[in-house]
């Protein structure tokens, strides 16, 4: 059975990267499925809605780009995943290695290279 994934990403800078990940979820050998649960419009209850969606997920891939360290929403989603006991992992958004961790990430959290084989292993729990 495919795992449900909530994608955390910097909406202001990395929407294209999110779309790449959504595309990979559609591959025939994908071990995960994505429902587009992105909260596109900030509202007073976005954090509550994000918590509900993260709680309904099996894993939270966090796409790390050039500005992820300043993306308040991404840090909040990482903290929610940790609070709810939902595993998350950090995924390097760009091949050149330029990726910044969200501020809520643990210092021991590794940023993993984004390859199809790595992604399948990470979704499966290899961290």
């Amino acid at each position: 059975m495919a795992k449900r994934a909530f994608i955390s990403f910097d909406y202001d800078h990395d929407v294209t990267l999110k779309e790449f990940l959504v595309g990979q979820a559609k591959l025939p050998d994908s071990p995960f499925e994505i429902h587009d649960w992105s909260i596109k419009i900030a509202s007073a209850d976005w954090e509550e809605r994000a918590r509900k969606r993260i709680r309904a997920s099996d894993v939270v891939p966090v796409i790390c780009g050039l500005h992820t360290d300043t993306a308040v929403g991404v840090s909040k989603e990482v903290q929610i995943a940790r609070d709810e006991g939902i595993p998350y992992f950090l995924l390097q958004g760009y091949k050149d290695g330029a990726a910044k961790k969200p501020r809520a990430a643990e210092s021991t959290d590794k940023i993993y290279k984004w390859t199809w084989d790595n992604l399948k292993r990470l979704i499966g729990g290899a961290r």
Side-chain angles (χ1 to χ4, degrees):
M1 181 173 188
K3 294 196 176 192
R4 291 172 311 227
F6 177 95
I7 303 172
S8 181
F9 66 100
D10 179 355
Y11 194 82
D12 292 330
H13 299 99
D14 297 325
V15 172
T16 301
L17 295 175
K18 176 227 160 190
E19 292 303 323
F20 292 154
L21 191 56
V22 169
Q24 286 184 300
K26 295 176 183 176
L27 294 173
D29 63 335
S30 177
F32 65 103
E33 60 185 31
I34 296 171
H35 302 276
D36 191 357
W37 284 342
S38 302
I39 299 169
K40 296 165 183 68
I41 299 171
S43 65
D45 69 339
W46 84 265
E47 191 174 334
E48 180 183 321
R49 293 183 321 167
R51 183 174 299 277
K52 182 178 179 181
R53 293 169 185 188
I54 290 169
R55 195 180 298 135
S57 301
D58 299 308
V59 63
V60 177
V62 180
I63 300 174
C64 296
L66 303 175
H67 306 281
T68 308
D69 59 329
T70 62
V72 176
V74 175
S75 281
K76 209 44 144 160
E77 290 166 351
V78 167
Q79 187 60 53
I80 290 168
R82 191 178 303 116
D83 292 348
E84 296 295 334
I86 304 299
Y88 70 91
F89 61 88
L90 308 180
L91 198 59
Q92 179 181 317
Y94 298 96
K95 288 183 181 185
D96 67 3
K100 297 186 179 174
K101 291 181 182 182
R103 289 188 178 147
E106 301 285 346
S107 61
T108 55
D109 287 342
K110 178 181 175 182
I111 298 179
Y112 294 92
K113 194 172 196 173
W114 187 345
T115 67
W116 184 230
D117 287 338
N118 267 356
L119 186 57
K120 289 192 290 188
R121 283 192 289 272
L122 292 163
I123 291 289
R127 299 183 267 295

